[in-house]
Amino acid sequence: MSNQPAVDEVINALNALYQSADLKAREQANSWLEQFQKTTQAWTTSDAILGTAELGLEAKLFAAQTLRNKIINDFAELGEAGALSLRDSVVNHLRNARSGPQPLVTQLCLSLADLAVQLGAWADPFADMTGSFLSDPESVSCLLEFLAVLPEEVLNERIILPTDFFRRRSAELLTRRAGDLIQLLVQCLQQPDLKADAHTRVLVCFTSWLKNGEITLMMMQNTPLIELALAALKADDSTVFDTAVDAICGIIYETHLDRDDEPEIVRVKNVTVEQQLVPQLNSVAAQMRADPLVVEGDEERIRGYCRIFTEAGEAWVQRMVLNTPAFEGLISALVDCMRLDNLDVITMLFDFWNILADRALEYTSSCDPARRTLTNVFDTVIDIIIRHLQYPSTYDASDSRGGWTAKERDEFREFRHNIGDVLKDCVRVVGPTKALSHPYAIMVNGISGATQLPWQDIEAPLFALRAMGAEVSPLENEMLPKIMDMFTQFPAHPKLRYAATLVIGRYTEWTYEHPQYVQFQLNYIAEGFKIREVAAASAQSLKYLCQDCAKYLADHWADLLKFYSEVASSGTLDEGDVIEFSEALAHVVSAVPEPNTSAAIESFCLPIGQELGALLQMPQLDDSEKQQLALLLDRLGVFLRYVHVEDNASAEALTERIINESWPLVNTTMQRLAGDAVVSESLSKFIRVLVEFYPGVLRPIVAQIVDAVVLAFQQTGLSAYLWLARRILNVSQSLANDEPESLQLVTQMIERLSEAALALFQGTSFSDIPETTEDYFRLLERAVETAPGYIIAMPTFPYVFQAAIAALEVNQYHAQMAVLHAWSQILNPTKRHIRMMQESKSQATLGGANGGPQGNPAALPTSPGGHFPSPLRSRRRSTRLDTYPVEQVVDLCTKHGFELTVKIMRGVMQLFDREAVSEAADLFASLVAIVSDGPAVVAGQFDSPPLPTMVEWEQAMLLQIPDANFPAVDKQSFLGDLSENIQARQWPKIKVLMSDFAAVFWRRNVGSSATN
């Protein structure tokens, strides 16, 4: 055997990988095998291993996997003749393995399917494989396995094909052969001499094509395939059961009614549903109820049944509403599915109940029998949901985590909120009053019985009340008054108090219409602040009560402020709760009538200002004092954010005075504590409130604010100040008296921050400061979008350009995206303006034929410098040719484009997150357009062909990639496609080309290993 030395090397490496006790030897063997799989020798060696009868399964399975990976990754290495020869060889290996282990058969079938997908010269794989394997009963299982994996491989994302070829090949392999497949499967079912598992293999194959969408309901008519799938549901084997579930769901999906269905197709679908599937599913429902595995709580069994009924419910929901009696069995099965205790599984039903509610309201009126039937169904579902909302009896309420892990707690919280949406659907159908009666009845039973029920039994209906709130009218007068009157009767339990307090917060719009409850609810909330477990709920509900019922609380502002001072200083509240309380007070103060508005504002702000001043007079601050200073800024900022004093001259004047008096305190804080991470966040949030909500007040001191922000960043490098600068930039027009002043404010701030950022980036890795990297480049993106002519003309911008190239190395996703978005904002408009200049030239030339200027670059609206400085603009794209600095960007791309190309290529190969590749590919396409057309366009040479610069750069870049990672044939193909698309100016195709390059490279070097 000529390949024997190579075969021996592979066998030795496999023995070391699987049998050696030496970890280092195993790692070396795995690395060698991975490299071997990328060589051209792997083709013949793997083929030789498969043809050696005495070798064991381990070696042959590795060889089959290697062939499959090579077919997917390196198909171009074969050539047409080599691919056809390999096909014949693999067919022979499959025939020899027909009685062998199933994993080997599957791998060989996958290799043949991947060949069939890519090898256009293989004219008819279906006929060839059928002719080779159907006549031998021992080989039919191989044929069915090949046909089962074929649809999956046609859609294999690792196989990258031209769109036109893929569409044509998919039709040849699947669409045109679907009818033949049905005949083949029926023929297999009728052959008595097949293996015992033949029916299961037929079902697997049928399901695969069905899931792919190639088999229609018309094809299944008058065949035993539907009955085969339904019968397989009774199998004890879980794999057969799951396959049957997939098949039945696929069959049900094919019964969806589409608008473009022809009358005969509609008739067939309706007959199949009403005469065949509905009766059969009624039997399946009875089977589910009696299935011992369901009773025992087998999750996969439960999931399978629920999938079937959910698929049927969603597919037939319109029929269900219009002909409810015929579907009562199915509806009953869906209700029974909701009763199951597996909370993870029943979530799949939630969308169905939403759709059913929508259709019931759309197609029926309140007096229709169908509506009455469905109302009873949703009535039942409400009680089921409330039971599911209960905390388990094992939950330890004395433990803040209930004895659960964080994951368990988060999952239950998410489940309750999701199933709460189903409750909203129930309310829409049943009606608010009747729906509210369910939790009310449960709570009455819980507090009035001789034996007190567990707290879980009362907390669940309270949560249900919150969930229903969005669908309950503020004018509801029957049930809600009874419910609110019950609150004082609940047992003293923190979980109940917490839930009841949140109910008050949910119904504050109702309270506005029923002001007699305001005082009671305010007192109830206030008492909750004294209970640590309830304080957060009290703060949230107080915020909503004050927001919606401010006019009823305005007379109590002094009492509320006193209470605020007590709880804020007590230490019983988390700071987040104090912030919500601060917001609540702002809403009430906004409703206080004159002449008391100013007094109320001053009563809140003055003590905070005094405490800030006292802290800043201290020569040194410890950590707790710094924390307190930050919290004071947060409270004052939130109050100023939500207090509204429009049309109140005295209150406006007071607010202006408070802001002006607070600035020296804020400035002093920045000078002393700008480097403190906690204080810097609070400073930035406070100043943001001022610039966004009081820009007119800040105009006299905006220059001081900008200076302070820039100085703080220069001294600390903290990202909070870049974040704040972006907020200042967003409202810069409101902060300035006129446009020139606004432009000066923006450009000076950005230039000074850029100088500081460049100094920071020079001595620090971008990956070590991802937050600063992200915030700087988000600021840069917004600045270039706002005033491109000014920002790109900055003396520092060439250095910013080079820093942005280096920043593409950052390894944190959000920072990566910020850098890429900044690049897009620089390059995409440049590409667009180059195209517009070319189009303008074309239009000018056409105009010259009618006496206009011809071929004169001076006739175009461009300045000698390539641009005029652009005025500050909104986020709308510029369409004027004299407002974007095309020449500067083209010059920078020409000088530094190779380095940028290298960073983009390395990024898509190994550094960028997969979700960032599309953005990078778009960036690459823009760069190609700029360096290809830009130099000629800015020189006025509009008729010049595209320059080959990018092809030369790419050629140099690809030389740095070893052929083992990206074969020479693929490099040449990439360069050829790139050159062709550049000459045709097909920039969108270049984006696709780069995306495909990234996918191929990842597939070869990241997505495969020696043992997969």
Side-chain angles (χ1 to χ4, degrees):
M1 183 183 295
S2 60
N3 278 317
Q4 192 58 46
V7 170
D8 291 342
E9 274 192 287
V10 172
I11 299 304
N12 291 335
L14 287 169
N15 289 337
L17 178 64
Y18 291 115
Q19 299 175 19
S20 175
D22 185 344
L23 176 61
K24 186 174 182 181
R26 293 202 303 270
E27 291 175 349
Q28 290 174 343
N30 187 65
S31 177
W32 185 89
L33 289 167
E34 286 181 352
Q35 291 305 311
F36 163 77
Q37 288 181 313
K38 297 174 183 177
T39 65
T40 55
Q41 189 182 22
W43 292 110
T44 54
T45 303
S46 299
D47 188 47
I49 291 172
L50 288 166
T52 305
E54 58 268 22
L55 290 178
L57 175 62
E58 231 169 47
K60 290 189 174 183
L61 198 55
F62 170 78
Q65 291 170 338
T66 299
L67 277 183
R68 187 194 177 206
N69 285 332
K70 295 288 289 180
I71 291 167
I72 291 176
N73 296 331
D74 304 319
F75 181 75
E77 292 178 356
L78 287 171
E80 184 177 300
L84 290 170
S85 175
L86 178 65
R87 175 203 62 185
D88 296 339
S89 184
V90 176
V91 167
N92 188 52
H93 296 319
L94 179 61
R95 187 178 293 109
N96 292 334
R98 63 187 181 279
S99 300
Q102 185 60 36
L104 179 59
V105 171
T106 298
Q107 285 297 322
L108 292 171
C109 288
L110 286 167
S111 296
L112 283 170
D114 294 331
L115 273 172
V117 171
Q118 300 178 82
L119 182 55
W122 189 359
D124 196 345
F126 185 97
D128 292 345
M129 293 295 291
T130 301
S132 297
F133 292 95
L134 184 60
S135 59
D136 178 14
E138 293 294 316
S139 301
V140 171
S141 61
C142 296
L143 172 62
L144 292 173
E145 182 70 11
F146 168 78
L147 293 173
V149 300
L150 183 60
E152 299 168 8
E153 295 310 294
V154 168
L155 299 178
N156 189 336
E157 293 182 354
R158 294 174 60 198
I159 300 175
I160 299 174
L161 298 170
T163 302
D164 292 342
F165 178 84
F166 168 77
R167 289 173 179 166
R168 183 174 67 254
R169 196 62 177 160
S170 176
E172 292 170 351
L173 294 175
L174 301 177
T175 308
R176 297 174 192 166
R177 283 299 192 175
D180 298 327
L181 177 89
I182 294 293
Q183 294 179 18
L184 172 65
L185 296 180
V186 172
Q187 180 181 346
C188 290
L189 290 175
Q190 295 169 348
Q191 289 186 17
D193 54 349
L194 295 184
K195 291 181 179 180
D197 64 348
H199 284 201
T200 300
R201 294 186 181 279
V202 167
L203 180 63
V204 170
C205 184
F206 170 64
T207 304
S208 176
W209 284 61
L210 191 60
K211 288 166 66 177
N212 189 268
E214 299 298 339
I215 297 176
T216 67
L217 195 63
M218 298 292 285
M219 295 178 185
M220 298 179 230
Q221 291 300 298
N222 303 316
T223 73
L225 293 171
I226 296 178
E227 287 74 13
L228 172 69
L230 289 162
L233 274 181
K234 299 177 181 178
D236 293 329
D237 186 296
S238 61
T239 302
V240 176
F241 177 84
D242 292 341
T243 303
V245 170
D246 287 340
I248 294 168
C249 289
I251 294 167
I252 292 170
Y253 181 82
E254 290 299 320
T255 64
H256 274 273
L257 290 174
D258 297 322
R259 291 183 178 179
D260 55 352
D261 281 345
E262 296 178 0
E264 176 60 16
I265 294 177
V266 172
R267 187 193 66 79
V268 170
K269 288 183 176 182
N270 287 334
V271 167
T272 303
V273 170
E274 295 170 9
Q275 297 182 15
Q276 187 172 11
L277 291 178
V278 169
Q280 292 276 20
L281 289 189
N282 289 339
S283 300
V284 172
Q287 177 183 321
M288 175 185 71
R289 297 179 186 111
D291 193 326
L293 291 176
V294 173
V295 176
E296 293 168 9
D298 184 292
E299 180 169 332
E300 292 309 311
R301 202 75 167 186
I302 292 171
R303 188 182 302 277
Y305 285 119
C306 287
R307 275 189 61 201
I308 291 171
F309 292 118
T310 301
E311 186 73 43
E314 293 181 359
W316 306 335
V317 65
Q318 185 170 333
R319 296 180 175 103
M320 198 177 290
V321 172
L322 297 177
N323 187 16
T324 305
F327 290 88
E328 285 185 355
L330 176 59
I331 295 171
S332 178
L334 286 157
V335 172
D336 286 343
C337 287
M338 278 294 288
R339 287 194 173 96
L340 295 170
D341 290 328
N342 192 306
L343 304 187
D344 291 332
V345 172
I346 66 170
T347 55
M348 73 173 68
L349 293 149
F350 294 173
D351 284 344
F352 162 72
W353 295 113
N354 173 256
I355 298 168
L356 181 61
D358 288 343
R359 297 296 179 270
L361 296 173
E362 180 180 358
Y363 294 123
T364 67
S365 63
S366 58
C367 58
D368 284 348
R371 174 71 71 85
R372 290 196 292 270
T373 300
L374 294 173
T375 297
N376 293 334
V377 170
F378 279 98
D379 232 17
T380 303
V381 171
I382 291 175
D383 289 329
I384 294 171
I385 290 174
I386 294 176
R387 181 175 64 82
H388 285 316
L389 288 172
Q390 287 185 14
Y391 280 91
S393 58
T394 56
Y395 185 88
D396 183 3
S398 63
D399 180 354
S400 61
R401 296 185 176 180
W404 285 355
T405 64
K407 183 174 183 290
E408 290 171 333
R409 190 173 64 254
D410 291 344
E411 286 176 349
F412 187 63
R413 181 187 298 119
E414 182 181 6
F415 169 80
R416 298 222 302 175
H417 284 287
N418 289 339
I419 204 170
D421 291 337
V422 183
L423 270 177
K424 296 182 181 69
D425 296 322
C426 295
V427 177
R428 291 194 295 136
V429 177
V430 172
T433 299
K434 189 173 183 182
L436 290 170
S437 69
H438 288 263
Y440 173 74
I442 296 172
M443 291 188 295
V444 167
N445 182 55
I447 64 176
S448 62
T451 303
Q452 182 173 309
L453 294 179
W455 64 268
Q456 291 94 330
D457 288 19
I458 303 176
E459 192 276 343
L462 283 170
F463 186 93
L465 286 171
R466 280 176 57 203
M468 293 177 179
E471 300 298 330
V472 177
S473 167
L475 302 178
E476 205 284 328
N477 290 318
E478 185 174 339
M479 293 307 309
L480 278 176
K482 296 178 182 178
I483 291 170
M484 294 297 174
D485 291 341
M486 295 176 64
F487 279 30
T488 57
Q489 304 173 50
F490 293 146
H493 192 286
K495 279 288 185 183
L496 296 182
R497 186 82 185 202
Y498 181 92
T501 302
L502 289 178
V503 170
I504 290 175
R506 185 63 191 82
Y507 286 91
T508 51
E509 292 181 0
W510 178 87
T511 304
Y512 179 85
E513 301 293 340
H514 301 78
Q516 66 270 29
Y517 286 94
V518 170
Q519 188 63 53
F520 159 72
Q521 292 184 355
L522 182 62
N523 294 338
Y524 193 90
I525 292 171
E527 288 296 315
F529 279 106
K530 300 175 184 178
I531 307 170
R532 178 170 291 277
E533 299 94 329
V534 184
S538 294
Q540 179 179 319
S541 293
L542 181 63
K543 177 180 73 174
Y544 291 127
L545 185 67
C546 291
Q547 178 178 320
D548 290 330
C549 302
K551 79 173 188 178
Y552 301 123
L553 294 168
D555 292 340
H556 302 282
W557 69 265
D559 295 333
L560 281 169
L561 186 58
K562 180 181 177 182
F563 182 57
Y564 170 85
S565 300
E566 292 172 358
V567 298
S569 60
S570 67
T572 59
L573 289 184
D574 292 336
E575 183 53 31
D577 301 331
V578 177
I579 294 299
E580 290 204 316
F581 202 156
S582 303
E583 181 183 338
L585 275 176
H587 292 304
V588 173
V589 169
S590 299
V592 173
E594 278 289 11
N596 296 323
T597 312
S598 298
I601 294 173
E602 192 166 34
S603 296
F604 180 90
C605 297
L606 185 59
I608 294 178
Q610 291 171 341
E611 192 171 351
L612 278 172
L615 285 170
L616 290 172
Q617 287 176 2
M618 299 171 66
Q620 295 291 331
L621 296 175
D622 60 25
D623 288 344
S624 64
E625 289 162 342
K626 292 176 184 177
Q627 180 75 23
Q628 179 61 18
L629 189 148
L631 298 179
L632 291 170
L633 287 171
D634 289 342
R635 295 175 192 176
L636 183 57
V638 166
F639 182 85
L640 292 173
R641 159 70 178 84
Y642 289 102
V643 72
H644 299 291
V645 294
E646 295 84 357
D647 302 323
N648 189 326
S650 62
E652 286 184 353
L654 174 64
T655 305
E656 182 173 349
R657 178 170 65 81
I658 290 171
I659 292 172
N660 286 325
E661 291 177 355
S662 68
W663 170 243
L665 298 175
V666 173
N667 197 20
T668 301
T669 305
M670 294 184 79
Q671 293 170 4
R672 291 185 57 184
L673 301 170
D676 184 273
V678 175
V679 174
S680 68
E681 294 286 342
S682 296
L683 279 168
S684 298
K685 288 189 291 186
F686 180 77
I687 296 174
R688 177 199 176 182
V689 169
L690 300 188
V691 300
E692 290 187 351
F693 294 95
Y694 301 93
V697 176
L698 293 188
R699 282 178 186 169
I701 59 172
V702 66
Q704 299 176 41
I705 294 174
V706 170
D707 286 342
V709 172
V710 171
L711 181 61
F713 179 70
Q714 289 172 338
Q715 293 174 342
T716 69
L718 292 178
S719 63
Y721 300 113
L722 296 172
W723 174 87
L724 174 58
R726 184 152 54 101
R727 268 57 190 181
I728 293 173
L729 175 62
N730 287 339
V731 295
S732 56
Q733 288 179 314
S734 301
L735 290 167
N737 291 311
D738 52 35
E739 189 173 283
E741 182 182 327
S742 173
L743 284 168
Q744 184 178 21
L745 168 73
V746 168
T747 53
Q748 290 182 356
M749 179 178 71
I750 300 301
E751 182 157 18
R752 293 167 65 192
L753 287 171
S754 295
E755 290 171 353
L758 290 171
L760 177 64
F761 295 152
Q762 194 167 12
T764 311
S765 167
F766 291 99
S767 295
D768 290 340
I769 48 172
E771 291 183 356
T772 302
T773 301
E774 177 185 353
D775 281 314
Y776 174 73
F777 284 100
R778 292 203 184 283
L779 173 65
L780 179 65
E781 175 196 5
R782 184 71 181 97
V784 173
E785 183 181 35
T786 301
Y790 288 87
I791 300 303
I792 295 176
M794 294 188 311
T796 57
F797 190 78
Y799 305 102
V800 170
F801 192 94
Q802 295 175 65
I805 294 175
L808 289 168
E809 294 180 347
V810 68
N811 60 10
Q812 198 261 359
Y813 171 73
H814 294 292
Q816 279 179 10
M817 295 305 296
V819 177
L820 289 169
H821 287 159
W823 271 116
S824 295
Q825 190 56 50
I826 295 168
L827 298 188
N828 288 352
T830 304
K831 180 185 76 171
R832 188 171 67 250
H833 279 73
I834 288 172
R835 186 189 72 242
M836 291 164 62
M837 294 167 75
Q838 291 169 323
E839 291 172 352
S840 294
K841 166 61 180 177
S842 176
Q843 292 170 3
T845 302
L846 290 173
N850 296 312
Q854 296 187 36
N856 179 13
L860 297 176
T862 56
S863 70
H867 76 282
F868 294 122
S870 71
L872 191 66
R873 298 191 307 277
S874 67
R875 298 181 73 91
R876 186 181 66 252
R877 289 180 173 181
S878 167
T879 56
R880 295 177 57 198
L881 304 188
D882 60 353
T883 59
Y884 199 85
V886 174
E887 184 176 351
Q888 285 89 334
V889 178
V890 170
D891 182 59
L892 288 168
C893 288
T894 303
K895 290 178 180 177
H896 305 289
F898 178 68
E899 292 88 346
L900 178 55
T901 300
V902 170
K903 294 293 185 185
I904 294 172
M905 293 289 288
R906 288 179 177 168
V908 299
M909 286 191 292
Q910 57 191 17
L911 183 61
F912 292 159
D913 188 278
R914 295 299 296 270
E915 295 180 10
V917 168
S918 176
E919 191 83 21
D922 186 59
L923 172 63
F924 177 76
S926 293
L927 178 63
V928 173
I930 291 168
V931 299
S932 300
D933 277 343
V937 167
V938 297
Q941 300 169 1
F942 296 96
D943 297 326
S944 299
L947 298 174
T949 308
M950 183 56 75
V951 178
E952 296 167 1
W953 288 349
E954 278 295 335
Q955 191 168 22
M957 172 62 202
L958 291 174
L959 286 174
Q960 302 175 29
I961 305 175
D963 288 350
N965 298 105
F966 197 65
V969 63
D970 289 342
K971 294 176 183 177
Q972 290 303 314
S973 175
F974 177 84
L975 290 172
D977 290 342
L978 177 63
S979 177
E980 180 181 338
N981 287 320
I982 288 174
Q983 293 306 311
R985 292 188 170 94
Q986 293 290 334
W987 315 128
K989 289 187 177 181
I990 290 176
K991 177 182 177 180
V992 174
L993 181 66
M994 177 53 68
S995 296
D996 289 349
F997 166 82
V1000 170
F1001 190 88
W1002 277 61
R1003 185 183 70 197
R1004 285 185 56 85
N1005 300 281
V1006 181
S1008 61
S1009 68
T1011 56
N1012 70 356

